[in-house]
Amino acid sequence: MAKPDLSTERPGGAQAQPGQPAQTRRAASAGGQAAKLKDTQTTLQNTLRHHPVVLQQQAQRAEDVQLRIADRITAFAGSMNFVYLHIALFTIWMLFIEPKPWPTLTLIVSLEAIFLSTFVMIGQNRQATFQQAKADHDFTEQELELKTNTQLTREIHTLTTELHNRLLQRTTRQQS
């Protein structure tokens, strides 16, 4: 029967609980390392899954507080929760707060429409800028790929011509 390892220091420098078997501590440590590796792998896969322009835009938007606020407002205004909230608020307003013909409600709704249309235009401008940056990046990448393919085609042609000439020289030598 093996004696349990009662050392209290783990390989990473963390203190182990006394009385905990070494195998359990090693398994926990290995599990932690596996989890870190999996997190790193997931992050890398997510990074590789996105277009470089998308990653650049995400980084830029994360740095600017105004853009983050605009994103949140636009995300909420484009959701069904926004619709449900307005249905509830308008119903309460029309039934309990203001008598007909609801002049204050009309003013509030008009102002909200002005601001929401502004957010829509901001979103459209942002989307147009993003699409242009993505198109520019894609064009540059495609041009580079075209140049590489053209160079490879030329090299293949040169090698094929050289191989053909060598085969013709062998045939003429054998016939002579």
Side-chain angles (χ1 to χ4, degrees):
M1 184 167 149
K3 293 182 182 178
D5 182 10
L6 298 177
S7 66
T8 58
E9 188 170 326
R10 290 185 178 172
Q15 293 294 320
Q17 296 175 355
Q20 184 181 18
Q23 292 173 337
T24 305
R25 287 195 310 268
R26 278 192 283 271
S29 176
Q33 289 173 352
K36 286 180 187 178
L37 182 62
K38 185 168 178 116
D39 289 343
T40 304
Q41 183 180 13
T42 303
T43 303
L44 182 60
Q45 285 175 346
N46 289 338
T47 301
L48 295 176
R49 237 180 251 160
H50 294 292
H51 195 279
V53 175
V54 173
L55 297 174
Q56 179 185 3
Q57 184 189 34
Q58 287 175 345
Q60 178 187 6
R61 299 197 70 72
E63 291 175 2
D64 191 349
V65 174
Q66 290 179 344
L67 293 176
R68 287 195 312 255
I69 291 170
D71 283 343
R72 288 188 183 141
I73 291 172
T74 305
F76 178 66
S79 69
M80 286 306 294
N81 287 335
F82 181 79
V83 174
Y84 300 143
L85 176 68
H86 279 75
I87 289 172
L89 288 175
F90 292 162
T91 303
I92 291 169
W93 191 280
M94 290 187 285
L95 293 177
F96 302 112
I97 296 178
E98 189 174 21
K100 293 179 185 175
W102 310 295
T104 309
L105 180 61
T106 304
L107 175 67
I108 292 170
V109 170
S110 297
L111 288 173
E112 183 181 35
I114 290 169
F115 283 109
L116 287 177
S117 64
T118 302
F119 283 117
V120 167
M121 287 187 286
I122 289 170
Q124 287 175 340
N125 289 339
R126 197 175 68 229
Q127 187 65 27
T129 302
F130 169 75
Q131 289 298 330
Q132 185 61 48
K134 186 175 182 300
D136 290 345
H137 177 271
D138 289 346
F139 177 77
T140 303
E141 290 295 316
Q142 288 174 358
E143 285 294 308
L144 179 63
E145 190 170 331
L146 179 63
K147 287 178 184 177
T148 304
N149 286 342
T150 302
Q151 183 62 32
L152 286 172
T153 303
R154 287 180 181 150
E155 289 178 17
I156 289 171
H157 176 72
T158 303
L159 291 172
T160 304
T161 304
E162 184 179 323
L163 182 62
H164 179 73
N165 290 338
R166 286 184 183 182
L167 287 174
L168 285 178
Q169 287 175 359
R170 276 190 193 167
T171 319
T172 56
R173 284 184 199 162
Q174 289 176 356
Q175 291 175 356
S176 327

